[in-house]
Every structure is written in structure tokens, then in C-alpha cells.
Amino acid sequence: MISSLGGPVIPNSYIMKLLVLVLCSAVALTCGEVRQGRKFPDDFVFGVATASYQIEGAWDEDGKGENIWDYLVHTNPDAIADRSTGDVACDSYHKYKRDVEMLRELGVGSYRFSLSWSRILPSGFANHVNEAGIQYYNNLIDELLKYNIDPIITLYHWDLPQKLQELGGWLNPLVGDWFEDYARVVYEHFSDRVKSFITINEPAQVCYEGYGTDTKAPLLNATGIGEYICARNIALAHAKAYHLYNNVYKPKYGGECGYTFAVDSTAPLTDSEEDKYAVELLTQQQWAIYSDPVFSKDGGFPKELLELVAKKSAAQGFPRSRLIDFTEEEKAYIRGTSDFFGVNHYSGSLASPSLYTSQYAVPSSMDDIEVGQTVSDDWLQAASSWFQKMPNSVYITMKLIQNRYGDVPIYITENGWSSYGGIDDEDRVDYYRSALESALDALDEGINLKGYYAWSLMDNFEWLAGYTERFGLYQVDYDDPERTRTPRKSAFVYKHIIKTRMVDPDYEPESNVMTIDEGH
Ligand code: GBH
């Protein structure tokens, strides 16, 4: 996506100011100004999130099998910005007690982490369960429960067992069965104590970035082909894992099972009908292709996208569409299979067909929709090239979801800011404050937002960016074999927000010594 944002940046945008004005008057508040005294509801969940490959390390310890990120960093080191690996990462495999201590310091009610499929099933298949892997997650879960922190488990956060990749990974039509078998092992072992599961983290990043481009493992870059085959298989795989939970484990243990999508805030570049339609097309290409099959009234892929891809495919000489529709039976099987809408939200952009340039491969899903994006130069740039701070972006994102799916319960399962490092992280503090103010705007309007997870508890392996970009509330010292974690200013500020359930723009931490408050 870097290149798609590389288009003309609107200088000192008049349009942008108009847009902000319209959005702000729509919610009857002045953007940028913090309205004091608003509180998050008592049952609103505050948490932090991490993912297995990004923090655990111990890549080949105690029987763990190889996954696609192990394989990528070892066979193609140049693909990673600093040639680093997740071999040790934050060493959470050994330091999970310190992680839980940090959660207690922050005072969070919930911790979202993911399971390493190949730590539990080394080959990917369920014929052999690695007991040491089960033991590790049991230890972590029990440690969390000891301190009344609710575990929320993501089954899949991008680390597919390498053996399954060699069989085609998410492009193999049997992947849904493999995922269901893995899910059964997970539910069997953990659903007595874990009441919240997320099947898959960000299908778009699995399919589009991993198969339709080369920005995530397995770097397949089968543009306009891979992402569509994957989109079909992953929806079915998610649905299988959901039905299994819903039919077998929910009746026994209660609990919920959902699905998490990456949603950036998108607004039209101008007020024109073309630009508004561009927002819809970009939405379909970026996330609704994955979420409509589950959350839309009729199920299935977005209609306009199906038509566009069919038309383009025919013109390109393909005997059939590159995006294969579901059967009616499949649509019915997938529809309604999520107890909540999980959303990972970071950046934003402005969309218009007038910004489309022919920089994309043919075929590709960006070429299929012919929409371009840009950002305003007023938006602060994060350390990650793809990440700019769009004003009121949480609110805009919540509205996009609500307009599409009505009052579905929403959890923000990730949100946070990237820097290059340093303890005094004012930019991150500002980002969290604006994001949470924007979440309060959404709550004021009756949006069914139930919780918020900061990304991330600590610095971690940022995929192709290695350790060059930092998302942590805690800084991790990678030169230290102990991987010492030190709270940043943002950790103190987030703690204060959780404690008071309010965003105080003037709060300054009294000291840099972190303690555990009573009751945590
Ligand atoms: C989240 O994805 C992930 O769930 C998490 O693991 C990750 O650490 C976190 O973001 C921060 O990146 O084409 O190379 O410019 C957020 C989704 C990731 C979508 C970046 C857009 C652009 C990558 N976004 N991606 S690139």
C-alpha cells in the first residue's frame, strides 16, 4: 500500500478543511478540542494486544514446528528491513510472567494474544499435539486468571505452519478443514477458562498482503489472483471454526467467538458522487470482501466488486472470473458467523478515481477497482510509511462499520502508534488521547463499541519492518539478553485513562516509576 499513498499529496488542503468541518459539525463538536468529563461506560473493556510470532521467540524450542515467518526470515533475510528475525523477539516464551506483571501495572481488564499454530501442532496437522506448547499457553492463561485479567485468544495471527504453506496454504481448498482441526484442539484445551476467541486476525493482510502482493509472508505476489482465491477459502475456514465453537463449546462453557478486520478510515477526496463511490469500492477491496460474507444481510461477496472483477477478467482473456462466487449453500453457511466485529484501526486516507495511476500490476485488485488514495500533509506521519494520523479517524471508522452492518457489537482489537523508539513518546500519547476521544464521540452517538485494545503491550517484531518501528507502551531493549521492558510515558497515560475511565489532556505522570495498584 505504500505506493498507493505515494500519489499527489494535497498541499495545505482546502478540501481537507472542508471535510473536517463537515465531519465535525456532523457530531456537533470542535475537532482538536477535547471535551472534558466524558466517561467510558463501566462495562467498557480496556486491554492491550500482542501476537505470537511478534513476541514469543523460542522459534524451535520444546518441539515447536516451523512456520511461514520462521521460514521467510531464515531463507530470505533481505526481505526484513533490518535483516532481523523473530527467533528471540521479546522472549515472551520465557518472560510471560513479566508480561502479566506489566498488564497488572497498566490495570487492564483483558489481554488479547495469539497462539502459534505450529507450537501446538508442529506439522500443522492435528495428528500430533505438542504438549509443551499446550503447557505454555496453559501457564499464561492461568497467570492471567490469577490476577483477574480476561484472556482473549486469536487463533491465527499470520504464522501458518510451513508444511501447510508447502501444500498451498490459504489457497488450498482444504485449508478450512485444517483450520477447523486446529481450532478443535484449541477449544478442547482452553475453552474451559477462555471465554473469548477470535478466529483470524485481518484476513486482508493474510490474503492481499501475503498472496496478492509481497508485503507479508509468504510474499506470493500473485496479484489479482491469490487474494481472491484466499478470500473465498478464508471465509469458509473462519465459518467452520465459528460453527464448531458455537455448536460444541459455547453450549458447554458460554463465551463468544468473533473475527477481526483491519479497517482504515476512508473519506471521499471531494464531495462528488464519483469520490463517494470510490470510498465504497475501496471499502469492498480492502475489507468488505472479507466481512460482507459474514456480516451483510444477504451474505456473499460485495456485488459491485464481483461484477467489476468478472468484467475485467473477461476483458483480460480469462475464461472465468478471478473472483469465484460462493454457492447459495456456502453463503448461508458463512452468514452470521461472528458474535462481534473486531476492528484493528490505525491509518486513514482520501479516495478518488481521479487519483488512480497505472502503477498497479494487471491483473490486480487495485486495478480491478481503479481507485487511488492520498493523505493530507496536515496529518502527522508515524514511523511506519503507511501510517498517517487522520483526524477523528476512530469515529469515521465506526461510522463506516455501522452504516454497513447496523448495530453489531464492535471491539477495537488493535489501535496504536509507531515511533522509532524512546521513552518520552509524546506523539504516541497524543495519538491515544485523540483515538480515545474519537471513540467517545462514537459512543455518544450510540455506536455499540464494547472495548478497546491498545497495540501493543510492548515493542515487537514488526513483520517486514523488523525492529525498526516501535508500537509498544513498553520499550524493549533488544541488546539486553533479558529483553528488559521499560514503560514509556504512554504506558502511564493509558494506565491513568483506564483508572479514571476518562481522557485527561493535561495529565502528567508524577514519576517514571511504575507500580501495581491495589486490586491488580
Ligand atoms: C496490524 O495490522 C497487525 O495486526 C499487527 O500485527 C501489526 O503489528 C500492526 O498492525 C502494526 O503494523 O503494504 O507494507 O505498506 C495493521 C494493518 C498493516 C494494513 C500495514 C496496511 C500496509 C503494509 N495494516 N499494511 S505495506
Side-chain angles (χ1 to χ4, degrees):
M1 298 297 295
I2 311 172
S3 44
S4 63
L5 290 171
V9 166
I10 318 165
N12 191 17
S13 172
Y14 169 69
I15 292 156
M16 191 51 225
K17 281 190 187 124
L18 254 178
L19 182 87
V20 169
L21 221 121
V22 170
L23 286 167
C24 293
S25 49
V27 294
L29 62 91
T30 319
C31 282
E33 232 175 68
V34 167
R35 286 202 324 210
Q36 291 196 27
R38 291 191 298 171
K39 274 204 159 189
F40 286 91
D42 288 342
D43 58 355
F44 190 87
V45 178
F46 283 106
V48 292
T50 62
S52 48
Y53 187 76
Q54 295 181 273
I55 66 162
E56 283 179 6
W59 79 277
D60 64 347
E61 241 176 277
D62 294 344
K64 177 180 162 293
E66 187 184 36
N67 65 43
I68 56 175
W69 279 93
D70 296 319
Y71 180 82
L72 172 64
V73 300
H74 295 148
T75 57
N76 187 4
D78 288 332
I80 313 298
D82 52 4
R83 296 180 62 94
S84 64
T85 73
D87 289 359
V88 182
C90 307
D91 199 21
S92 286
Y93 188 69
H94 299 109
K95 307 238 171 329
Y96 71 92
K97 286 199 175 168
R98 170 64 182 135
D99 294 348
V100 175
E101 187 178 63
M102 285 142 63
L103 300 169
R104 295 169 61 208
E105 291 172 352
L106 292 169
V108 294
S110 179
Y111 179 42
R112 172 179 178 244
F113 60 97
S114 82
L115 307 183
S116 162
W117 185 338
S118 67
R119 195 180 292 290
I120 293 175
L121 305 177
S123 71
F125 290 101
N127 60 318
H128 167 62
V129 178
N130 177 30
E131 285 308 324
I134 299 289
Q135 190 60 52
Y136 170 63
Y137 294 116
N138 271 336
N139 291 344
L140 172 59
I141 291 164
D142 292 342
E143 185 77 2
L144 291 166
L145 294 178
K146 192 157 125 191
Y147 299 108
N148 292 317
I149 300 166
D150 294 332
I152 164 162
I153 282 182
T154 307
L155 274 76
Y156 185 72
H157 197 127
W158 306 354
D159 42 2
L160 193 75
Q162 177 60 20
K163 284 275 185 291
L164 301 185
Q165 192 61 56
E166 282 157 19
L167 298 169
W170 292 98
L171 303 191
N172 189 315
L174 294 177
V175 69
D177 293 341
W178 307 337
F179 187 61
E180 184 188 20
D181 293 343
Y182 163 55
R184 185 178 294 105
V185 173
V186 170
Y187 301 149
E188 247 339 283
H189 283 91
F190 307 126
S191 58
D192 59 334
R193 287 154 296 147
V194 176
K195 302 301 168 198
S196 206
F197 292 92
I198 291 170
T199 54
I200 291 157
N201 180 70
E202 299 185 354
Q205 280 54 44
V206 177
C207 295
Y208 179 62
E209 295 191 10
Y211 293 80
T213 72
D214 54 0
T215 52
K216 293 285 179 306
L219 311 187
L220 203 71
N221 213 21
T223 64
I225 310 267
E227 65 267 55
Y228 293 140
I229 301 176
C230 176
R232 201 173 183 287
N233 291 345
I234 211 165
L236 284 159
H238 156 79
K240 280 189 185 231
Y242 177 85
H243 284 302
L244 176 63
Y245 185 77
N246 202 49
N247 295 337
V248 180
Y249 299 91
K250 192 188 271 182
K252 202 160 160 196
Y253 299 113
E256 52 182 2
C257 183
Y259 199 173
T260 275
F261 307 87
V263 183
D264 283 349
S265 51
T266 315
L269 178 66
T270 74
D271 238 2
S272 72
E273 287 310 310
E274 290 79 14
D275 290 357
K276 287 184 196 154
Y277 188 57
V279 172
E280 172 59 26
L281 286 184
L282 197 65
T283 295
Q284 295 189 7
Q285 188 268 346
Q286 292 196 332
W287 53 277
I289 181 177
Y290 308 98
S291 54
D292 272 11
V294 176
F295 291 94
S296 70
K297 199 162 55 52
D298 301 326
F301 289 130
K303 199 167 85 298
E304 291 78 6
L305 189 66
L306 269 172
E307 282 166 10
L308 273 178
V309 183
K311 218 171 83 193
K312 283 257 185 179
S313 300
Q316 290 157 352
F318 288 92
R320 63 186 86 231
S321 178
R322 288 175 279 108
L323 177 55
I324 303 161
D325 204 357
F326 298 107
T327 64
E328 288 308 313
E329 201 188 334
E330 287 169 335
K331 276 189 209 170
Y333 182 75
I334 299 166
R335 203 176 50 217
T337 57
S338 189
D339 297 331
F340 55 85
F341 191 102
V343 48
N344 295 348
H345 169 71
Y346 294 87
S347 191
S349 75
L350 306 171
S352 170
S354 68
L355 297 167
Y356 186 72
T357 58
S358 54
Q359 59 183 315
Y360 292 98
V362 179
S364 70
S365 54
M366 286 307 282
D367 178 68
D368 287 334
I369 60 167
E370 292 188 29
V371 169
Q373 290 162 271
T374 192
V375 296
S376 162
D377 57 6
D378 296 339
W379 303 351
L380 192 65
Q381 175 69 48
S384 315
S385 59
W386 50 269
F387 189 0
Q388 296 80 23
K389 183 184 175 189
M390 183 180 187
N392 219 11
S393 73
V394 171
Y395 173 83
I396 298 169
T397 301
M398 296 297 111
K399 276 306 220 194
L400 287 173
I401 298 166
Q402 190 198 40
N403 288 340
R404 209 167 182 89
Y405 305 128
D407 285 330
V408 54
I410 302 173
Y411 285 92
I412 295 177
T413 41
E414 283 178 29
N415 178 247
W417 180 255
S418 64
S419 65
Y420 295 106
I423 290 294
D424 200 19
D425 56 344
E426 287 298 341
D427 285 358
R428 181 172 291 103
V429 166
D430 288 348
Y431 184 85
Y432 277 119
R433 282 180 178 151
S434 342
L436 286 161
E437 279 293 340
S438 192
L440 283 165
D441 293 347
L443 284 166
D444 278 354
E445 278 204 19
I447 285 181
N448 196 5
L449 176 61
K450 318 272 283 182
Y452 176 94
Y453 292 77
W455 183 274
S456 182
L457 171 61
M458 62 193 147
D459 294 340
N460 54 55
F461 180 79
E462 178 55 18
W463 310 113
L464 294 191
Y467 299 105
T468 63
E469 298 167 12
R470 310 289 187 114
F471 275 90
L473 292 167
Y474 284 70
Q475 175 161 286
V476 176
D477 183 355
Y478 295 109
D479 296 327
D480 176 355
E482 285 306 309
R483 295 298 190 271
T484 303
R485 293 104 154 93
T486 310
R488 295 201 165 101
K489 180 173 179 188
S490 55
F492 292 91
V493 169
Y494 190 45
K495 174 181 179 147
H496 188 254
I497 290 171
I498 296 171
K499 193 170 165 179
T500 59
R501 309 191 82 74
M502 283 166 63
V503 182
D504 176 355
D506 303 318
Y507 171 73
E508 282 294 325
E510 281 140 35
S511 80
N512 57 4
V513 182
M514 191 52 111
T515 51
I516 296 173
D517 288 354
E518 216 178 304
H520 294 279

